Amino acid sequence: MPCWDLFDMQPLSYQKSVLDLDRNKIISVEMLSRFGWDKYAAHHISVDNFGMSGKANEVIDRYHFTMNDVVNFTKGLVK
């Protein structure tokens, strides 16, 4: 979502056409903080701490941002 403020200013009908407004059906995947996503998503994959650096693949593995990690996280929610 490029801009939460602009999205929130749109008519409710537009918001519903873009995003299911049931937070329990939404997962945010953000390689930064989940800050701001709580309004839209009940479930998050994010990095909410500071200080990790290294090769991209190592960081992605460490914070569980691989495709398999995201799929497994999602499957765990629909059990």
Side-chain angles (χ1 to χ4, degrees), residues 3 7-9 17 24-26 32-34 53 70 72:
C3 179
F7 181 76
D8 289 343
M9 291 182 345
S17 75
N24 288 313
K25 295 180 181 179
I26 300 172
L32 292 171
S33 170
R34 70 189 237 186
S53 62
V70 173
N72 289 334

Side-chain angles (χ1 to χ4, degrees), residues 45 60-74:
I45 299 173
I60 288 168
D61 287 343
R62 167 66 173 84
Y63 284 108
H64 308 288
F65 279 99
T66 67
M67 181 175 55
N68 287 336
D69 288 326
V70 173
V71 168
N72 289 334
F73 179 83
T74 303

Side-chain angles (χ1 to χ4, degrees), residues 11-28:
L12 190 58
S13 60
Y14 173 79
Q15 292 179 28
K16 287 181 179 181
S17 75
V18 173
L19 188 67
D20 189 320
L21 299 182
D22 180 352
R23 290 178 60 250
N24 288 313
K25 295 180 181 179
I26 300 172
I27 301 168
S28 71

